[in-house]
Amino acid sequence: MIKVAVNGAGGRIISKIVKTVLKTEDMEVVAAIGRENTPHEGKDIGEMVGVGKIGVLVTGAQMLSEVLNEKKVDVMIDFTSAQTAVEAIQTTAECGVNVVVGTTGFSEAQMDEIKRSIKENRVKAVISPNMAVGVNVFFKIIRDLAQILNDWDVEIIEAHHKHKTDAPSGTALEAYHIIADELGVGGDESMVCGRQGMVGARSPGEIGVHAVRGGDIVGDHTVLFAGEGERLEIIHRAGTRQAFVTGVIKAVQYLMESPEETKGKITTMEDVLSLK
């Protein structure tokens, strides 16, 4: 039985993850972590997500290392915020516990900290900006198309609910980096986030990235390849957050089955789904 801890208790995606883990034969939820001094402390996570008591009480982030060690956790799942996740990943790695991270918005410096923690403590990790299976197939398709349509203009449009705090989304940024790498225009120099006023004609190698926020949109991503007289659009739409949860479960199972050489390395959903 895989012993799972969730970080982000009280969040919508974590609630769905808890429900799904409880229905998965080879997994059990043994710990639930909220933010430091969370008002949910002491509440049963099962009752919080609407499935009744399961005997797992929410604890604050200040008790993370103690909980991980006491419950002998195999994998910690994190869906929080960037800074919260960095600190949680460092603590979790120091405890020798593997991590699945769906949190987005990491800076380059934060990712360097995460990589160092994973490497130094030789734990396994799956970190992806989007855990949905379909999105990761979407990534593969746009990578292949960027190779073929390498002289077409490319624009990326993402749409999310009004409560999302980071922009562009992690998925849109990943799409940008995939395409930029294939076109040989790496880095962020070619990224244009929105346009306004007399900006002039489109520059060669420019990749537009546009963010839409409103309502309860779970997550829409479009990559538009525009040629002369024709265009091709690749679209992924997430109807519910369950799309992400399905990928998270696959990622947890992958970590437990992956070979020793994955210790100390960050893998992605491409590895989980054998898309590389």
Side-chain angles (χ1 to χ4, degrees):
M1 190 70 75
I2 303 171
K3 295 183 177 182
V4 173
V6 293
N7 188 32
R12 287 173 293 182
I13 188 71
I14 286 294
S15 296
K16 287 185 176 292
I17 289 170
V18 169
K19 289 179 182 179
T20 305
V21 169
L22 292 173
K23 295 176 185 177
T24 305
E25 285 187 7
D26 60 345
M27 294 183 196
E28 61 178 334
V29 177
V30 298
I33 312 299
R35 58 185 171 83
E36 192 168 330
N37 301 314
T38 172
H40 299 305
E41 190 150 8
K43 294 180 181 179
D44 190 291
I45 189 66
E47 287 190 315
M48 284 180 60
V49 305
V51 299
K53 287 187 177 181
I54 63 171
V56 176
L57 304 183
V58 175
T59 54
Q62 72 276 8
M63 296 293 292
L64 179 58
S65 59
E66 290 86 347
V67 171
L68 294 176
N69 289 324
E70 178 189 340
K71 300 296 184 180
K72 296 180 170 54
V73 173
D74 295 309
V75 180
M76 192 271 286
I77 300 170
D78 185 284
F79 276 81
T80 55
S81 63
Q83 187 54 48
T84 299
V86 171
E87 294 169 4
I89 293 164
Q90 289 173 329
T91 300
T92 302
E94 288 166 4
C95 291
V97 175
N98 304 313
V99 293
V100 170
V101 181
T103 300
T104 62
F106 295 117
S107 67
E108 188 174 338
Q110 287 173 325
M111 276 306 303
D112 287 342
E113 287 184 53
I114 291 170
K115 289 175 184 175
R116 184 165 53 251
S117 294
I118 299 299
K119 183 177 181 180
E120 288 177 356
N121 294 284
R122 288 191 50 75
V123 296
K124 299 178 182 179
V126 173
I127 302 178
S128 279
N130 194 310
M131 293 285 175
V133 172
V135 159
N136 286 279
V137 174
F138 168 90
F139 286 154
K140 178 168 175 53
I141 292 169
I142 63 172
R143 186 190 303 279
D144 292 345
L145 284 176
Q147 294 174 4
I148 298 166
L149 307 176
N150 54 32
D151 58 346
W152 288 31
D153 297 327
V154 184
E155 298 281 310
I156 300 167
I157 307 99
E158 58 99 337
H160 283 84
H161 54 88
K162 61 187 177 185
H163 302 293
K164 187 169 177 62
T165 56
D166 59 307
S169 69
T171 302
L173 290 174
E174 180 68 9
Y176 166 80
H177 287 298
I178 287 170
I179 293 165
D181 287 347
E182 292 301 329
L183 297 180
V185 293
D188 294 336
E189 296 81 9
S190 298
M191 185 189 302
V192 176
C193 292
R195 297 182 180 88
Q196 183 178 6
M198 295 295 292
V199 297
R202 198 178 198 282
S203 304
E206 183 175 298
I207 299 173
V209 183
H210 314 279
V212 176
R213 295 290 178 267
D216 62 354
I217 302 168
V218 175
D220 294 354
H221 292 87
T222 301
V223 175
L224 184 154
F225 292 87
E228 295 296 327
E230 57 181 335
R231 70 176 184 269
L232 182 62
E233 295 182 20
I234 307 301
I235 302 172
H236 178 273
R237 294 191 177 99
T240 72
R241 289 176 177 79
Q242 191 61 38
F244 311 129
V245 176
T246 300
V248 168
I249 299 301
K250 289 180 179 293
V252 171
Q253 292 167 330
Y254 167 82
L255 282 187
M256 297 307 295
E257 297 167 1
S258 61
E260 284 289 304
E261 54 262 33
T262 59
K263 284 186 175 181
K265 297 179 181 178
I266 293 177
T267 54
T268 68
M269 286 301 292
E270 280 191 298
D271 299 294
V272 173
L273 300 171
S274 302
L275 292 173
K276 288 187 173 179

